[in-house]
Amino acid sequence: MGKSKKGFNWKARQVVQTDIDNSSTTKIKLDSSVISVKNDDECNTLVIPSQKRKTRKKNDSVVVKKILSKSQRKRLEKIVEKKKKKENINLIYKREQFIEQKSCEYRT
């Protein structure tokens, strides 16, 4: 027998390929006063953008369907068949009503 589950928190652990939108970084205006002033810690103020960049997923994740046991699948199939029968019965009643209305019009 194999392990049926992928593991704890497997959806969050998936590696998703993303595109980073750099359009906001091109709109940043540089102040010459900020550049010329030396800081005590000598860090570069231009390295980190002030706003978070937007990302988009390259491809959508595939929806994993739950594998049903034989008895569960049969039970669901029976439910679907019952629903189809009910729909068919409703269609038949609607057709009968329509035919009765037409026949009443012809009689008068």
Side-chain angles (χ1 to χ4, degrees):
M1 299 212 172
K3 188 176 178 183
S4 62
K5 290 187 178 180
K6 290 187 177 183
F8 179 73
N9 201 13
W10 64 272
K11 285 185 181 179
R13 293 173 187 260
Q14 287 180 338
V15 178
V16 180
Q17 295 179 347
T18 57
D19 286 330
I20 299 172
D21 186 17
N22 286 326
S23 62
S24 62
T25 57
T26 57
K27 295 177 184 178
I28 297 173
K29 295 181 181 178
L30 302 176
D31 292 336
S32 60
S33 62
V34 174
I35 297 171
S36 64
V37 176
K38 285 193 173 183
N39 294 334
D40 292 335
D41 57 355
E42 298 179 1
C43 67
N44 191 351
T45 58
L46 303 176
V47 172
I48 303 173
S50 60
Q51 295 177 350
K52 184 176 179 180
R53 295 179 291 180
K54 295 182 181 179
T55 58
R56 281 181 271 138
K57 291 182 182 179
K58 283 187 179 178
N59 55 355
D60 294 326
S61 60
V62 177
V63 176
V64 179
K65 291 186 178 180
K66 185 177 179 183
I67 299 173
L68 298 175
S69 66
K70 190 173 183 179
S71 60
Q72 289 175 334
R73 185 171 24 91
K74 284 186 178 181
R75 187 171 11 106
L76 289 174
E77 286 175 357
K78 287 180 183 178
I79 292 171
V80 170
E81 287 177 10
K82 286 182 182 179
K83 286 184 179 181
K84 286 183 181 179
K85 286 181 183 178
K86 286 181 182 179
E87 288 178 4
N88 288 338
I89 290 171
N90 289 335
L91 285 173
I92 292 171
Y93 283 139
K94 287 180 183 178
R95 288 179 187 165
E96 282 183 22
Q97 290 175 354
F98 183 72
I99 292 171
E100 287 178 3
Q101 287 177 355
K102 286 205 170 193
S103 63
C104 289
E105 289 177 2
Y106 289 130
R107 287 181 190 166
T108 57

